[in-house]
Amino acid sequence: MDKPALLRRLFELGCAYSGQILSYTKMLGQLQDVGNTTTLAHYLDLLAGAGMLTGLQKYAGAAMRRRSSSPKLQVFNTALMTAGSGLTLVENRTDSEFRGRLVESAVGAHLANAADTGSCEVFYWRSRNREVDFVVRAGRAVTAIEVKSGRARQTLPGMAANVDAFRPTRELSVGGDGIAVDEFLSKPVEHWVGS
């Protein structure tokens, strides 16, 4: 490893931006370090191998399009997000934007840990301004998962566009009016994404 300081800053950035899609170019700008996108991608792979932080790839039919996509940063444990946030427990609960990312990252961590054991593959999907939080492939089954941290009933245009584009086997909404987050996290991922 040529740049341990860059690795450390990438880890800190990934924890701060878990649940968000960031291009490697934007990461380089945030990190203010001499490096290149190949180095960042390699360091992200090292962090994933250590079970700390991963970069989910965009779900696409062609493997080449997946590898060239901007990663969606995802911690393997949400404690990595909260420890560096500088927010108290009360502030974590009252900051709706942070809470939304925390809930999405908790679901993502559950999925990423299952993918780390080989149970499934986890991606995100985005086309223009439409997004599905997670696309999980387990064998031939493809499950689209949208995470909501609030109770308000909302339409999910990203889910509808994803269904039209890829015809997932199953669609899940976690949180809000869907499956309760604690229920989703209490069961193995295979329960939710099996065919």
Side-chain angles (χ1 to χ4, degrees):
M1 177 181 333
D2 295 333
K3 300 180 180 197
L6 179 61
L7 175 71
R8 186 186 78 248
R9 287 198 295 276
L10 175 62
F11 170 68
E12 291 167 352
L13 181 76
C15 291
Y17 284 88
S18 182
Q20 296 183 43
I21 301 165
L22 280 182
S23 71
Y24 287 112
T25 306
K26 190 176 269 188
M27 283 187 232
L28 280 172
Q30 290 277 332
L31 296 170
Q32 299 175 342
D33 202 330
V34 177
N36 59 44
T37 58
T38 304
T39 302
L40 283 183
H42 173 66
Y43 285 1
L44 202 51
D45 286 343
L46 290 176
L47 290 167
M52 299 173 85
L53 174 74
T54 190
L56 302 178
Q57 298 300 313
K58 181 178 177 181
Y59 183 78
M64 184 60 121
R65 288 178 57 199
R66 280 195 301 268
R67 289 300 296 167
S68 66
S69 67
S70 295
K72 178 176 183 173
L73 300 172
Q74 176 62 58
V75 293
F76 281 90
N77 184 326
T78 56
L80 298 171
M81 280 179 73
T82 57
S85 72
L87 300 173
T88 66
L89 181 60
V90 172
E91 291 169 330
N92 279 339
R93 289 183 176 161
T94 57
D95 183 334
S96 60
E97 182 183 336
F98 184 78
R99 179 169 164 63
R101 286 193 316 102
L102 191 60
V103 169
E104 183 177 329
S105 289
V107 171
H110 189 53
L111 298 170
N113 282 297
D116 199 41
T117 66
S119 300
C120 60
E121 295 175 275
V122 182
F123 308 92
Y124 72 93
W125 180 83
R126 177 188 244 173
S127 179
R128 295 187 179 98
N129 62 343
R130 296 178 180 210
E131 180 182 339
V132 172
D133 294 322
F134 303 102
V135 176
V136 182
R137 184 169 49 204
R140 292 181 159 199
V142 176
T143 304
I145 300 173
E146 186 65 31
V147 181
K148 294 294 170 207
S149 61
R151 294 252 181 246
R153 179 175 285 279
Q154 298 174 340
T155 61
L156 304 173
M159 186 72 83
N162 179 273
V163 168
D164 290 343
F166 294 107
R167 306 272 183 232
T169 311
R170 191 172 193 188
E171 304 162 46
L172 297 176
S173 178
V174 178
D177 291 332
I179 301 162
V181 174
D182 57 344
E183 180 184 354
F184 182 84
L185 298 176
S186 71
K187 295 187 173 141
V189 170
E190 296 82 2
H191 173 81
W192 304 109
V193 301
S195 52

